[in-house]
Amino acid sequence: MQAQERGAAALGAAIQGLGVNTRVLVIGAHPDDEDTQVIAWLSRGRHVETAYLSLTRGDGGQNAIGNELGEALGVIRTGELLAARRVDGGRQFFTRAYDYGFSKNAEEAFTQWPHDSLLRDVMTVVRSFRPHVIISVFSGTPRDGHGQHQAAGILAREAYDWAADTVRVPRSATAGFGAWTVQKFYRGASFRRENATLAFNVGEYDPLLGRSYAEIAAISRSQHRSQAFGTLQPLGVRMDYLQREASRVAAPEDPKAERSLFDGIDTTWARFRGALQGPALAALDSLPAAMRAARASYDPFAPAGVVAPLGRIWRLLEAICPPSASESPCSRSGRAEDLTDLGAAVVHEHERLSHALGLASGVTVEATVERERWGTDEVFPVKRTIYNRGTRPVEVTRALTIAGGIPRPLEMRPVVIAPDSSLALDVADGLGLGFESVSAPRWLARPRAGAMFQYAITGRDEAAYSGDPSVAFVMRVDGVGFLVQTPIVHRYADQVRGEVKRPVAGVPAVSVLLEQETVYAPARAPIERDVRVQLSAAGTTPRVVAVSLRLPPGLTTDSVSRSVSIPPGTVVTVTFRTRGQLPAGRHVVEAVATSAGRTFAQGYTTIDYEHIAPQRLYRPSRLTIEAVDVAGATGARVGYIQGVGDNSAAALEQLGIVVTRLEPEALAQADLRGYHAIVVGPRAYESHPALVANNARLLDYARDGGTLVVQYGQYEMMRPGIMPYPVTINRPHDRVTVENAPVTILDSTAAVLQSPNRITARDFDGWIQDRSLYMPRTFDPAWRPVLAMNDPGEQPVRGALLVAPVGKGTYVYTTLAFFRQLPNGVPGAARLFVNLLRARASSAQ
């Protein structure tokens, strides 16, 4: 897709889009809800300014590429959406909603998300983006399934209805943006085609891009790697479908008579004639001919020929909306919040022209630094180089830096760069920048309030919020001005990947990070455990750091403080040996570092995947120890097959269990006789084909007297040969999403509830996000159900914990959300899971 962003193809697309002044906003609940087909078809194919608004960042989902969950997963999925938009050409917006997990209905969703607050967020985006058409992915009814989907469908329609009503929703509630009238409202109909009123072929081939819009959409969709959404790129006719629900324009009375999304909407520049007069009106009337001339002048082998026609369009736009005017038909006050439809069209046309002029001139800008990470107390020198690879002289008139979307001018004398030459502005030319704060996701800067992040929605899209600093230059070619902007990066060669560019990042002078955030420990039992503190320092010289631990009562350490020298660019691990005993409950260990008279008590981890930009997550240098009254853990030997988004094996080790990671590919030859139990992680059968192929080996292990504990899977668990006895999983699947929903013990004498830990209803206190998911609805009589549970107003489901004898051994199938509970130190989950591991021994008693 990179070829579409530069060169003749990108210039041709920009020229094709001249004059298109319509905007469409697509609204969904989660990152992967978006209809990439309609976004690609509109943005790449029809050059419509198209955006996707996701209520959440997908924090509550699962992770197919790593172990990050919760807010860390939300960071990954935010990056994946931005990567998707770079492919399909759309813009990206979010609200402040945190994805807390599955909801059964919209009413439940709005108990987590304040309805009015979230509606204000949505309306801020609508009033700032000013769409002519809104497309809601969801219907806003129970047929959407997920309660967050239903909420998104409801909020989309409310925003359509009320965006123009400043009495109901004053502009002060939407970041100062005033009324905007959305002209048409559609809902997605790809999954209910009988309701569709409009169909269009997204499989249409674009000869300039060399792909159909469906192919581009598939590439965009495949950016959602954390959700395992890689997909084929389809060829041929491929239809997409929408249903018109409301219209404020003279569209066909019968929605099925429509031939275009914009039927009834004047999409020409002529619709602005009534707002203009004199020279501005004359300039508006001259635009169509000027745009035709620009298209006619496009030659992919001589791109500079389009510069003069583009310059004429630029001057006409400035005549329509003078840049210096404090009040005009383009803005009631000269501020972005008061842009009119005309003003928004002119702003977008200027952006398109600036992009096209940069491509036509052949100018490229590089801004590089010597390393990726810089301390917030450092000034980093930036080497800037401007390359004129075109055929016309380029005059550079101004220089700027941009951070957080805020431009700052730099001193620079105008200079002309001849064709096939460059201008290097190195350190001696004086650009030294610094970070005012660390580089981190802005929505995580403050703690959440319930299921809402605490930051301001200002109406800018997500790309504009980037804190990564960049440089920009104002240039002129043949008297025509344009802007070229590029991020500041550390650029280096990787022997395998080739050229790598990493955005410059601000980090603390000293980072202090405890290896883990939450761990288990047996209560009232001797503890002897290493606490590892990871230290790193910014800068170019070694730094001496003293680090110490603050321990809860009951623990001691082998030394009060340690002093180390940290070489540049390295991580030094300082290990403290702790001993003692802890009563049941939560206890906190803190690490504090001092250096050069300053104190440091936070550190960062880096989320780093090839398909998204790197991000750093900060947390206090604090370890929470959950001391649990648990029996039967110490000395147990367990083989563990990793699942999806699965951090449970380490939690079991903290309880004293000896855990061996088993690779599915090696099961056929592995000696399994020494394990008290073998555990299969969540969705492991879905993610490991070798596990399916070698599953008979696990069943044989159970038949020979072993205990096999299998955590939840999806519909693959109904395939013959996976489970020893059949189960059925309903569509949509049964789940309990209210984390404090009552749990009924069906048989208090069941061995897995009796030994080695007596399990009661209290062991289900303090669970997070989910109780259970993908619960079997029906199952073979060989299965013994142990628990029943349900969300409010629903019938109890008995499939959360099933136990069955298999030969001489025991098979346990559980859909309880242990993958969320164990890594977060939930005590009852630890006690119950140990019982499952000891199920065979308990049954024999």
Side-chain angles (χ1 to χ4, degrees), residues 132-162:
H132 300 95
V133 176
I134 287 178
I135 299 173
S136 173
V137 175
F138 299 108
S139 69
T141 68
R143 70 185 179 198
D144 295 328
H146 199 321
Q148 294 181 9
H149 292 171
Q150 298 176 42
I154 292 168
L155 291 164
R157 180 56 196 259
E158 289 175 344
Y160 169 82
D161 289 338
W162 298 341

Side-chain angles (χ1 to χ4, degrees), residues 797-818:
V797 181
R798 303 184 303 152
L801 179 55
L802 303 176
V803 182
V806 178
K808 300 176 184 178
T810 303
Y811 192 112
V812 178
Y813 183 62
T814 177
T815 61
L816 292 168
F818 284 112

Side-chain angles (χ1 to χ4, degrees), residues 64-385:
I65 61 174
N67 293 333
E68 298 90 350
L69 294 173
E71 291 176 348
L73 177 58
V75 171
I76 292 173
R77 299 186 71 183
T78 296
E80 290 176 338
L81 265 184
L82 292 175
R85 297 295 81 81
R86 287 192 291 271
V87 171
D88 59 36
R91 295 171 62 186
Q92 183 60 52
F93 294 92
F94 293 96
T95 74
R96 293 172 297 144
Y98 172 73
D99 179 3
Y100 54 84
F102 191 84
S103 289
K104 298 289 182 68
N105 50 58
E107 292 74 21
E108 182 183 331
F110 286 128
T111 65
Q112 299 282 339
W113 297 333
H115 191 147
D116 290 347
S117 297
L118 198 53
L119 177 60
R120 285 196 295 270
D121 286 1
V122 174
M123 288 187 60
T124 300
V125 174
V126 170
R127 286 179 173 178
S128 63
F129 183 63
R130 303 173 181 88
H132 300 95
V133 176
I134 287 178
I135 299 173
S136 173
V137 175
F138 299 108
S139 69
T141 68
R143 70 185 179 198
D144 295 328
H146 199 321
Q148 294 181 9
H149 292 171
Q150 298 176 42
I154 292 168
L155 291 164
R157 180 56 196 259
E158 289 175 344
Y160 169 82
D161 289 338
W162 298 341
D165 189 342
T166 55
V167 175
R168 184 187 291 267
V169 185
R171 63 187 301 158
S172 60
T174 54
F177 291 98
W180 175 256
T181 301
V182 184
Q183 299 185 23
K184 298 177 80 175
F185 183 85
Y186 289 81
R187 296 195 189 271
S190 294
F191 297 104
R192 45 185 187 281
R193 296 178 184 179
E194 67 280 3
N195 296 330
T197 60
L198 183 66
F200 44 93
N201 177 25
V202 296
E204 176 187 350
Y205 178 72
D206 189 318
L208 189 64
L209 303 180
R211 287 185 171 94
S212 72
Y213 308 117
E215 290 177 89
I216 295 171
I219 299 171
S220 171
R221 187 72 169 164
S222 296
Q223 302 308 304
H224 295 287
R225 298 185 190 180
S226 69
Q227 305 306 296
F229 273 11
T231 185
L232 295 173
Q233 300 174 33
L235 302 177
V237 173
R238 190 174 182 90
M239 305 301 292
D240 206 349
Y241 302 86
L242 297 173
Q243 177 186 6
R244 195 187 84 192
E245 184 172 288
S247 175
R248 293 187 171 101
V249 297
E253 184 175 349
D254 179 5
K256 292 190 175 182
E258 284 193 329
R259 293 294 176 266
S260 163
L261 193 68
F262 302 105
D263 274 6
I265 300 175
D266 185 354
T267 61
T268 69
W269 286 81
R271 73 176 185 270
F272 304 122
R273 296 189 86 254
L276 301 173
Q277 56 184 352
L281 179 59
L284 180 80
D285 289 340
S286 300
L287 270 180
M291 291 173 177
R292 287 194 297 271
R295 293 190 192 97
S297 67
Y298 169 65
D299 181 348
F301 299 102
V306 81
V307 169
L310 292 178
R312 171 163 171 71
I313 298 172
W314 189 287
R315 288 187 289 272
L316 290 173
L317 292 174
E318 289 192 334
I320 295 169
C321 292
S324 59
S326 60
E327 185 174 349
S328 73
C330 298
S331 174
R332 289 177 288 275
S333 66
R335 299 184 309 144
E337 292 87 344
D338 290 322
L339 281 179
T340 62
D341 187 19
L342 171 60
V346 169
V347 166
H348 183 54
E349 201 68 27
H350 266 136
E351 292 172 351
R352 181 184 281 133
L353 284 171
S354 186
H355 178 57
L357 285 163
L359 293 168
S361 67
V363 171
T364 299
V365 175
E366 279 189 341
T368 59
V369 290
E370 293 179 350
R371 50 192 161 92
E372 177 183 354
R373 296 181 295 277
W374 295 78
T376 52
D377 57 352
E378 293 184 275
V379 172
F380 55 92
V382 183
K383 180 179 180 180
R384 298 162 293 161
T385 306

Side-chain angles (χ1 to χ4, degrees), residues 763-776:
D763 286 295
F764 294 94
D765 292 343
W767 285 47
I768 62 170
Q769 187 163 325
D770 293 305
R771 283 281 196 220
S772 186
L773 59 170
Y774 285 90
M775 292 186 288

